Amino acid sequence: FSSRRRHTRLQGDWSSDVCSSDLFIHITNFIAAPSEIVYDLSRHMLLQKTAMEKIGGKQVRGVSSGLLSNQDIVLWNIHFLKKDFLFNLKITDLTPGLFIQEEMFQGSFESFKHLRHFKKIQNGTLVIDEIFYSLPKKFWSGWIDRFFVNGKLHELLKERNKILKEYAESNKWKALLTKDRKSTRLNSS
């Protein structure tokens, strides 16, 4: 399965859209739940806030509850290495059940793009996270990224996926998604 190749076929050539950086993270997780549930939980602010809080982050402003939609913006703050890192993230692409893309349009990174793919398989869902980012050249060096920034981003993804798995593989998802799916349908009518 090549998420990049599949996405290129569906969306056109996006090779120039990916951050012009060689800094990259790729994580694949299996979740024993239907892809529709996993996809919606990935967009749920309660789960995103919970994961951020576990690594020392917090939401500053933006959408604060329910399911994130295309063009929604959330400002996050992570205190790390005695510095506050701000991420103004925007959902820039959604393909229901298959794909979420969020990009930083203002913040501590020079560029940041997170692609999250959902692949339905026989007994559950594969969640494939790809993060492309670049750091300000005047401030960062390779070893800082390798030992600190990359590690913190890995920690965030692992925490998000752990919480996602916990909710999706139990009945906890019902309390979150039943209400939010109804309100989303009402708002779109």
Side-chain angles (χ1 to χ4, degrees), residues 155-166:
E155 182 183 2
L156 173 61
L157 285 177
K158 286 179 182 176
E159 196 58 50
R160 277 175 81 173
N161 286 325
K162 177 180 164 190
I163 293 167
L164 181 61
K165 186 176 184 72
E166 175 189 333

Side-chain angles (χ1 to χ4, degrees), residues 44-182:
H44 204 286
M45 279 304 296
L46 176 66
L47 299 188
Q48 293 205 18
K49 285 195 265 191
T50 302
M52 274 293 191
E53 289 168 2
K54 293 215 179 210
I55 67 157
K58 64 180 179 179
Q59 181 186 11
V60 178
R61 70 173 172 261
V63 176
S64 60
S65 64
L67 299 175
L68 289 169
S69 298
N70 204 21
Q71 304 304 309
D72 280 348
I73 297 172
V74 179
L75 177 62
W76 298 101
N77 179 38
I78 300 175
H79 190 76
F80 172 62
L81 291 174
K82 298 183 180 182
K83 179 175 171 47
D84 285 327
F85 288 83
L86 294 174
F87 299 87
N88 228 339
L89 293 177
K90 182 178 190 176
I91 302 294
T92 56
D93 192 5
L94 287 175
T95 304
L98 297 174
F99 179 73
I100 300 171
Q101 177 177 292
E102 60 185 351
E103 295 182 62
M104 184 197 75
F105 65 92
Q106 185 179 30
S108 299
F109 286 88
E110 196 168 288
S111 60
F112 181 94
K113 184 179 284 195
H114 177 202
L115 311 175
R116 181 164 260 205
H117 305 271
F118 304 88
K119 180 170 171 66
K120 185 184 294 190
I121 57 176
Q122 186 174 5
N123 54 352
T125 306
L126 286 179
V127 179
I128 302 144
D129 288 294
E130 297 175 299
I131 294 181
F132 301 86
Y133 66 101
S134 60
L135 302 167
K137 291 169 184 27
K138 61 185 173 201
F139 185 71
W140 298 98
S141 67
W143 70 270
I144 289 177
D145 168 62
R146 189 173 305 113
F147 293 109
F148 297 108
V149 177
N150 191 286
K152 197 66 163 179
L153 290 172
H154 265 91
E155 182 183 2
L156 173 61
L157 285 177
K158 286 179 182 176
E159 196 58 50
R160 277 175 81 173
N161 286 325
K162 177 180 164 190
I163 293 167
L164 181 61
K165 186 176 184 72
E166 175 189 333
Y167 274 76
E169 292 181 351
S170 69
N171 283 329
K172 290 182 176 183
W173 68 269
K174 291 179 182 178
L176 291 178
L177 294 185
T178 305
K179 177 181 72 169
D180 288 326
R181 284 178 170 166
K182 283 180 186 173

